[in-house]
Amino acid sequence: MSLLSKNVIPGNHGRIFGTNAKENQDLLDIKNKLLELDGIKDVVLDTAIFPREFTVYTTKILSIDTIEKMVKSVGFHAIPK
C-alpha cells in the first residue's frame, strides 16, 4: 500500500468516505467528532446521495484508520472511496 491509499493528505481535494449514517443529526455528530481531531480542517457532508458521504480536508497527514476509529466511536462506519 502507498502513502495515498492509507492516509488523508493535506490539500484542496480531500478524501471521500461513505457512511451508514442516514439521519442528518447522525451526520452532524460524525462531523463534530472528526473536527475534534488535530489536523482536520473541514468536513463536508453530502446528504443528497445514498449512501451518505462526507469529505475530509486536512492540514497534515492523517491515517484513514484514525478517521475510521473516530467515526466508530459515534456508532457508525466510514469507508474510504
Side-chain angles (χ1 to χ4, degrees):
M1 294 281 173
S2 71
L3 177 72
L4 295 176
S5 65
K6 289 192 164 216
N7 297 293
V8 179
I9 58 169
N12 294 332
H13 57 282
R15 182 70 181 247
I16 299 171
F17 291 83
T19 184
N20 62 334
K22 296 176 186 168
E23 303 296 323
N24 287 339
Q25 185 59 47
D26 296 335
L27 293 166
L28 288 173
D29 291 343
I30 290 171
K31 177 179 180 173
N32 292 332
K33 190 69 170 177
L34 288 174
L35 288 173
E36 292 175 8
L37 279 173
D38 182 39
I40 292 190
K41 176 172 51 174
D42 194 17
V43 177
V44 177
L45 304 172
D46 188 357
T47 58
I49 60 171
F50 186 82
R52 305 291 190 245
E53 292 182 346
F54 58 90
T55 306
V56 176
Y57 297 94
T58 63
T59 57
K60 65 180 188 179
I61 295 177
L62 287 174
S63 74
I64 288 176
D65 290 336
T66 303
I67 293 170
E68 290 174 337
K69 286 178 186 173
M70 288 297 281
V71 174
K72 280 184 184 179
S73 72
V74 179
F76 299 100
H77 297 284
I79 295 109
K81 293 195 170 193

